[in-house]
Amino acid sequence: MSNSRRNSGTRPGAAGGRIQQAKLVLLGDQGVGKSSLALRFVRGQFPEHSEATVGAAFLTQTILVQGQSLKFDIWDTAGQERYHSLAPMYYRGAQAAVVVYDINNANTFNRAISWVRELRQQTAVNTVIVLAGNKADLASEHRAVPTEDARVFAEETGLIFAECSAKSGLAVNEMFMMIAHKIVGKHASPNSSQGVQLTGGEEASSSGCKC
């Protein structure tokens, strides 16, 4: 694992500017696609075959938002129940958390709700939390979690809501950019909700971003 600083802060950039750092953690059941979302965002890749994460994996990505360089320190946690006790090590002090579920598996959505409630109890009130329904590319035939159910829960709990696909890339970058805007801008209320939504039903070719 990298020894990069885990806490939010700034450091000199390559061109003499300042780079803000933010710790982001991915949480959710095994198999929902946390690692695939991280790899799609960081490397623009989708692994067709991947092994389950053991403990946690670490990636970084630096983006430009509102004229500011922001470096995400991304902790991709294991979804197996036996690693649950380790999760606070990774989400403690995080500026953002992405709670991922598979929109084709209702059990993973129920587990995501539990993660959100835990985060609300254990993290700072201004932590940016995203509820992300992954595998939208399969939703036309296999959807098990209605968009409206997830959207209502997100609105009631003040989350950013996204339906995305690590495989197709649908709404992945938009989701992380929304997180970045909230971290850098610091102008939105922590109780406000935002969404990255599929448009035209279950289409995987376009997305609407309510920023």
Side-chain angles (χ1 to χ4, degrees):
M1 290 185 181
S2 171
N3 291 322
S4 298
R5 286 164 48 191
R6 302 183 189 180
N7 296 325
S8 177
T10 59
R11 64 180 179 82
R18 307 298 295 182
I19 298 179
Q20 182 176 348
Q21 290 183 266
K23 178 181 178 182
L24 181 149
V25 62
L26 290 154
L27 300 165
D29 263 6
Q30 179 181 3
V32 296
K34 300 183 298 298
S35 299
S36 296
L37 285 172
L39 288 171
R40 171 62 73 180
F41 173 58
V42 173
R43 301 175 185 170
Q45 300 174 349
F46 176 77
E48 290 291 346
H49 305 286
S50 60
E51 297 181 358
T53 301
V54 176
F58 181 74
L59 302 92
T60 65
Q61 177 70 308
T62 301
I63 59 175
L64 184 67
V65 56
Q66 299 179 21
Q68 168 72 53
S69 292
L70 176 67
K71 179 187 176 187
F72 278 121
D73 292 338
I74 303 170
W75 289 97
D76 170 25
T77 66
Q80 300 95 317
E81 183 62 30
R82 66 178 180 273
Y83 294 116
H84 188 141
S85 62
L86 300 177
M89 293 173 50
Y90 301 106
Y91 65 62
R92 188 176 295 118
Q95 284 69 51
V98 180
V99 180
V100 185
Y101 67 96
D102 178 353
I103 65 177
N104 310 294
N105 184 330
N107 290 332
T108 66
F109 179 65
N110 294 331
R111 186 72 186 100
I113 290 174
S114 297
W115 275 117
V116 169
R117 290 172 176 164
E118 180 175 333
L119 287 168
R120 284 296 190 216
Q121 293 175 351
Q122 302 295 332
T123 61
V125 68
N126 62 347
T127 301
V128 179
I129 303 177
V130 179
L131 179 66
N134 190 31
K135 305 188 182 181
D137 54 289
L138 302 175
S140 60
E141 296 181 3
H142 302 291
R143 177 182 288 276
V145 181
T147 300
E148 189 62 21
D149 289 358
R151 183 192 295 115
V152 167
F153 175 74
E155 290 176 350
E156 290 176 346
T157 49
L159 314 176
I160 292 174
F161 171 60
E163 285 195 339
C164 52
S165 169
K167 184 172 184 177
S168 70
L170 172 72
V172 176
N173 288 340
E174 291 90 338
M175 177 177 70
F176 283 98
M177 287 300 296
M178 288 176 72
I179 297 170
H181 276 283
K182 293 204 74 171
I183 291 174
V184 172
K186 297 182 179 179
H187 59 272
S189 166
N191 292 320
S192 66
S193 62
Q194 303 181 49
V196 177
Q197 313 254 339
L198 298 182
T199 59
E202 303 295 348
E203 293 178 10
S205 60
S206 62
S207 65
C209 181
K210 300 179 181 179
C211 298

